[in-house]
């Protein structure tokens, strides 16, 4: 949810946006004792709804939920995704705290970016060697990396619409109101109504609308 406004900004300027889920979330406790195969079906429905609301491309990977490590084989799977999608910027989990899957993905993607530059590592896909690849992580107050704020004011209604989908399924009381308050607080840090923020490992460090420049056609 921390990235939806930024994705919508890029979509509105004509960029290709690929939202990737690493797992199918089958280990979640949010559905009680529901069988894992039924959880996978339910999570797939959520994915389809998010795609419908925001209109981006979806990639579903096959990592096992709560089992992501930091192996070379896992980094190579992500490197092949990078070589296939060929992004100008990547946003991922912060690797400092939180769920082990999230921390590990942040670390794996750093390796994957390097592997994707090496033809023999991603063969038969062409290597992806952009002049500069923006690399951003979800904000963490303890991160040593600088911060970029993204103005998401024009898309707050769609972000709330996605949150409503999840709040209805999981019974999250006040979720939309809490989300709006958090985005408004971040917006107050940079002089806009609503904002998201990320730690910057490579890329701009200011208040922006998008994390890569708009194309001439966009």
């Amino acid at each position: 949810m921390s990235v939806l406004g930024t994705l919508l900004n890029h979509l509105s300027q004509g960029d290709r946006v690929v939202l990737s889920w690493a797992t199918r979330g089958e280990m979640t406790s949010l559905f009680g004792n529901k069988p894992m195969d039924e959880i996978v079906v339910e999570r797939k429905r959520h994915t389809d709804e998010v795609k419908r609301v925001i209109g981006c491309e979806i990639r579903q990977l096959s990592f096992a939920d709560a089992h992501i490590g930091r192996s070379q084989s896992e980094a190579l799977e992500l490197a092949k995704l990078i070589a296939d999608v060929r992004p100008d910027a990547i946003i991922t989990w912060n690797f400092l705290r939180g769920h082990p899957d999230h921390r590990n993905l942040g670390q794996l993607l750093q390796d994957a970016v390097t592997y994707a530059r090496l033809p023999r590592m991603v063969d038969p896909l062409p290597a992806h060697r952009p002049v500069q690849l923006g690399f951003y992580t979800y904000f963490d107050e303890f991160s040593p990396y600088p911060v970029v704020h993204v103005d998401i004011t024009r898309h707050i209604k769609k972000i709330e619409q996605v949150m409503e989908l999840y709040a209805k399924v999981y019974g999250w009381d006040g979720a939309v109101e809490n989300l709006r308050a958090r985005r408004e607080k971040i917006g107050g840090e940079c002089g806009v109504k609503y904002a998201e923020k990320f730690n910057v490992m490579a890329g701009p460090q200011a208040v922006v609308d998008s994390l890569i420049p708009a194309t001439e056609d966009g």
Side-chain angles (χ1 to χ4, degrees):
M1 209 66 66
S2 299
V3 72
L4 287 182
T6 301
L7 300 187
L8 286 162
N9 282 359
H10 281 283
L11 286 163
S12 68
Q13 73 179 31
D15 295 330
R16 180 190 183 195
V17 172
V18 179
L19 177 58
S20 180
W21 268 273
T23 78
R24 292 178 171 81
E26 65 272 13
M27 296 296 287
T28 183
S29 60
L30 292 171
F31 293 105
N33 294 322
K34 180 177 287 191
M36 286 192 290
D37 57 344
E38 294 181 20
I39 292 174
V40 169
V41 172
E42 183 71 13
R43 284 293 183 93
K44 174 61 165 59
R45 187 179 68 79
H46 300 165
T47 300
D48 292 342
E49 284 294 295
V50 172
K51 179 180 179 180
R52 178 186 63 80
V53 173
I54 70 174
C56 71
E57 184 178 337
I58 298 291
R59 294 292 184 95
Q60 178 66 63
L61 302 182
S62 58
F63 291 102
D65 192 23
H67 287 77
I68 296 177
R70 295 186 182 177
S71 68
Q72 185 186 52
S73 62
E74 290 165 310
L76 283 173
E77 183 171 345
L78 294 172
K80 290 178 179 179
L81 174 67
I82 292 170
D84 184 28
V85 174
R86 312 189 70 76
D88 295 304
I90 292 172
I91 308 172
T92 187
W93 297 98
N94 200 296
F95 45 81
L96 295 175
R97 297 185 296 171
H99 193 296
D101 279 359
H102 300 168
R103 298 199 312 269
N104 290 339
L105 278 168
Q107 295 280 8
L108 286 169
L109 275 163
Q110 292 182 77
D111 294 341
V113 166
T114 298
Y115 289 152
R117 296 172 60 86
L118 305 175
R120 294 181 182 180
M121 299 298 276
V122 295
D123 184 68
L125 295 166
H128 183 50
R129 302 178 64 90
V131 174
Q132 181 175 356
L133 177 68
F135 196 103
Y136 308 86
T137 65
Y138 288 177
F139 173 76
D140 189 287
E141 61 181 320
F142 294 108
S143 174
Y145 294 100
V147 172
V148 61
H149 288 80
V150 180
D151 183 357
I152 61 163
T153 304
R154 56 184 164 153
H155 296 303
I156 191 65
K157 293 301 182 184
K158 276 196 174 182
I159 299 168
E160 291 175 353
Q161 186 178 349
V162 174
M163 177 56 85
E164 286 173 355
L165 295 172
Y166 284 91
K168 183 177 180 180
V169 170
Y170 299 126
W172 292 341
D173 294 333
V176 173
E177 293 78 11
N178 291 337
L179 179 144
R180 187 188 307 116
R182 292 194 301 271
R183 297 299 174 270
E184 188 170 15
K185 183 177 183 295
I186 296 172
E189 297 174 3
C190 59
V192 302
K193 182 63 175 175
Y194 300 104
E196 294 169 347
K197 64 180 176 180
F198 307 96
N199 291 116
V200 185
M201 296 185 67
Q205 301 168 27
V207 182
V208 298
D209 288 321
S210 59
L211 299 177
I212 55 176
T215 63
E216 292 183 3
D217 293 337

